[in-house]
Amino acid sequence: MAKKNFSNSYIFIYSAVLVVVAALILTVVSVSLKPMQTKNQQAETKQMILKTIGIESTRDNAAKLYAQHITESTTPSGLPYYTYSEGVIIPLKGTGLWGPIWGYLALDGSSNVVGAVFDHKGETPGLGGEIATDKFAHRFIGKTMDEHPIYLTKNAEKDNPYQVDAISGGTMTSNGVTAMLEKAFFDYRDLTEEREEDEQ
Amino acid sequence: MKNTDLIKLPFSKNNPILVQVLGVCSCLAVTAQLKPAVVMAISVTVVVALSNLIISLLRNTIPPRIRIIVQLVVVSTLVVLVDQVLKAYMYDVSKQLSVFVGLIITNCIVMGRLEAFAMVQKPWPSLLDGIGNGLGYSVILITLGFVRELFGSGTLWGYPVVEKLGLYSIGYENNGLMIMPPMALILVGLIIWWHRSRNKDLVEQ
C-alpha cells in the first residue's frame, strides 16, 4: 500500500467513479443478456410442466411439445392452471428455507397424482435441494389430492395415499413443500371437485 | 518469493483452508455433493484470480481508508458478471451455481488474498497467487465432496456407484451424517490433523 495521503475529495471522486464504472458494466451486460436469460427460463418452465405428464423435452423442442400437449386456463377465481389430455396440472408456489420453491402437479380425473416436479431458488444442495430430483418427485406418483392435501412426514406409510416421505436433513424445505401443497389443495379445490362431478 | 511457489505453496504449506483457515464456511455448505463442489471450486478460482489481478493493478490509486469497499465492489461486480453470463449461455451450470454466488462474494479467501497479497504486490504475482489459492481451496473442496457424496448418498457426480456395486443388497447403508454440515467440519478437522502431523513446522507451540 502506498503511504500517500489521499484527500477527502480524491476519496469521494474515486469511489464515485468506481461505482459508476461497475454499474455501467453490469447494466450493459444485464441488458444485453436479458433476452437469452428470459428465453431459458420460459423454456425451463415448459420443460417442467411437460415432465409432470411424462414428456421429456430439451430446451429447444420444449415450446413445440408444450403447444401440442398443454392448454393454459384460469380458474373462476383467476388462478392459472394447465390442462392436458387426461386432467389438469396445477402450479404450486411456496417458500423453502432460503427462498422460493415451486412445482407442478399433474392430476388425473379423480385427483390422483400422475406426475410431479419441484424446483427451488436456493435450497441447500444435497439437503433441501433434493426436492428438485426425480427421486423425490416420483414419491408423489399414485398419491391423491381428493379429500385431503398430500403432506410430507418422517417414515411415511407406503399405503397411505396422503403421505410422502420427507427429506432427511431438509425438514424446513419439506415443511415448505407441505404448506405449498396444502395451499394449492384449497386454492384449486373447486377445480378438482368440479372435474369429478363432470365425470360422474 | 518465487513465482512457482505462489502456485505450489497454497496446495499444502499455505493452503487457504488447512493453514490460513479461510473459506471454511462455504467449504461446509457446498460439499454434500461432488458436482456443486467442483462448480464452486472453479468459480472461486476464477474470481480470486481476476480480483487479485484488478486490485493489484489499482493498488496505488486505492485510498487505504476505503480499500475494503473498493475490494468489495470489484469482487461483487465480477461475481455478478460471471453469474449473468452463465445464466445466458450455460443455464444448467448456473442453476447449480446460483446459491453459491453470494457465498463467493463473502468468501474469506477472496478478501484475504486481496488484503494480504494483491494490495502490495505486482499484477503478475498477484494473478498467480489468486490461481494458486483458488486451486488449493479446490483440492480440499473436491476431496470433501467426493467423500461426502460417496458415503452419504452412495453416488458420485450423480452416478449410483454403491448401487451398481451391489452393496445395498448385502446390507450396506448410506451414512446419513455424511450429508450434514457437521460431518464436513469433522472431516476438515481430520484432514487438518493429518496435514499437521506431516508438517510439524506448522504446529503452534
Side-chain angles (χ1 to χ4, degrees), chain A residues 14-194:
Chain A
Y14 189 89
S15 36
V17 170
L18 181 77
V19 172
V20 169
V21 169
L24 263 177
I25 295 174
L26 290 182
T27 313
V28 169
V29 171
S30 171
V31 169
S32 53
L33 295 181
K34 192 87 201 164
M36 286 184 74
Q37 293 171 353
T38 321
K39 210 178 116 209
N40 285 339
Q41 277 158 4
Q42 283 168 347
E44 197 199 11
T45 307
K46 289 179 176 168
Q47 277 181 295
M48 279 181 80
I49 295 173
L50 285 168
K51 207 172 171 188
T52 60
I53 54 169
I55 299 175
E56 288 293 338
S57 56
T58 65
R59 197 154 294 131
D60 301 319
N61 66 13
K64 199 173 140 226
L65 285 167
Y66 183 85
Q68 278 171 12
H69 296 278
I70 311 280
T71 326
E72 292 175 8
S73 322
T74 44
T75 62
S77 46
L79 295 164
Y81 70 99
Y82 311 87
T83 55
Y84 69 105
S85 56
E86 281 152 48
V88 296
I89 301 168
I90 55 174
L92 310 167
K93 269 198 184 106
T95 47
L97 173 59
W98 303 115
I101 52 176
W102 62 94
Y104 297 90
L105 211 54
L107 305 173
D108 67 8
S110 30
S111 294
N112 295 320
V113 178
V114 297
V117 286
F118 296 93
D119 208 352
H120 60 93
K121 174 87 182 149
E123 301 307 297
T124 319
L127 304 177
E130 291 289 295
I131 62 165
T133 59
D134 290 347
K135 193 178 145 203
F136 177 73
H138 283 164
R139 294 179 192 170
F140 284 80
I141 296 173
K143 305 288 171 184
T144 181
M145 288 281 268
D146 54 359
E147 283 160 11
H148 188 284
I150 298 171
Y151 61 97
L152 268 55
T153 178
K154 215 187 236 181
N155 299 325
E157 299 157 26
K158 233 181 177 167
D159 304 329
N160 189 322
Y162 305 110
Q163 288 189 352
V164 166
D165 241 334
I167 294 165
S168 45
T171 307
M172 298 298 284
T173 311
S174 299
N175 290 346
V177 174
T178 299
M180 177 164 89
L181 288 163
E182 192 180 303
K183 186 170 178 300
F185 174 76
F186 290 108
D187 283 352
Y188 290 95
R189 192 153 58 168
D190 300 342
L191 187 72
T192 47
E193 277 172 2
E194 195 181 300

Side-chain angles (χ1 to χ4, degrees), chain A residues 2, chain B residues 54-62 118-123:
Chain B
I54 294 174
I55 289 294
S56 173
L57 287 170
L58 293 176
R59 71 189 186 284
N60 290 326
T61 68
I62 300 174
M119 285 298 286
V120 289
Q121 297 280 350
K122 293 208 170 81

Side-chain angles (χ1 to χ4, degrees), chain B:
Chain B
M1 214 191 296
K2 281 190 303 191
N3 281 350
T4 45
D5 284 348
L6 293 174
I7 295 276
K8 259 193 323 199
L9 278 180
F11 273 99
S12 170
K13 291 266 169 139
N14 196 20
N15 188 284
I17 293 178
L18 301 184
V19 181
Q20 302 172 31
V21 200
L22 295 175
V24 176
C25 166
S26 59
C27 155
L28 306 190
V30 305
T31 52
Q33 289 174 333
L34 192 54
K35 198 173 180 180
V38 170
V39 175
M40 181 69 170
I42 296 170
S43 331
V44 168
T45 306
V46 169
V47 172
V48 183
L50 288 182
S51 58
N52 253 10
L53 178 67
I54 294 174
I55 289 294
S56 173
L57 287 170
L58 293 176
R59 71 189 186 284
N60 290 326
T61 68
I62 300 174
R65 270 188 285 172
I66 58 160
R67 65 181 196 284
I68 302 281
I69 298 172
V70 174
Q71 291 165 9
L72 265 180
V73 170
V74 171
V75 174
S76 348
T77 309
L78 279 172
V79 171
V80 177
L81 216 63
V82 169
D83 183 46
Q84 293 283 326
V85 172
L86 286 180
K87 264 192 190 137
Y89 294 102
M90 299 166 74
Y91 193 70
D92 298 307
V93 178
S94 99
K95 286 211 60 126
Q96 288 279 331
L97 219 155
S98 63
V99 204
F100 311 128
V101 172
L103 288 172
I104 298 177
I105 296 176
T106 57
N107 194 312
C108 310
I109 295 173
V110 184
M111 295 287 279
R113 292 328 294 169
L114 293 179
E115 272 289 280
F117 202 92
M119 285 298 286
V120 289
Q121 297 280 350
K122 293 208 170 81
W124 177 240
S126 295
L127 179 66
L128 292 179
D129 178 79
I131 296 173
N133 276 279
L135 292 177
Y137 172 79
S138 306
V139 169
I140 305 299
L141 223 65
I142 293 168
T143 310
L144 285 177
F146 181 86
V147 174
R148 290 181 70 195
E149 184 173 351
L150 183 62
F151 293 104
S153 314
T155 57
L156 278 178
W157 204 269
Y159 182 81
V161 180
V162 174
E163 199 184 311
K164 294 284 177 196
L165 289 174
L167 291 178
Y168 289 128
S169 50
I170 56 170
Y172 173 84
E173 288 214 22
N174 287 328
N175 182 348
L177 186 57
M178 274 289 175
I179 56 171
M180 308 294 282
M183 195 62 203
L185 190 63
I186 293 169
L187 286 175
V188 173
L190 289 173
I191 296 176
I192 293 180
W193 182 15
W194 169 81
H195 187 253
R196 287 288 195 283
S197 73
R198 306 264 321 242
N199 298 279
K200 292 270 196 284
D201 50 324
L202 293 173
V203 181
E204 292 99 4
Q205 293 304 312

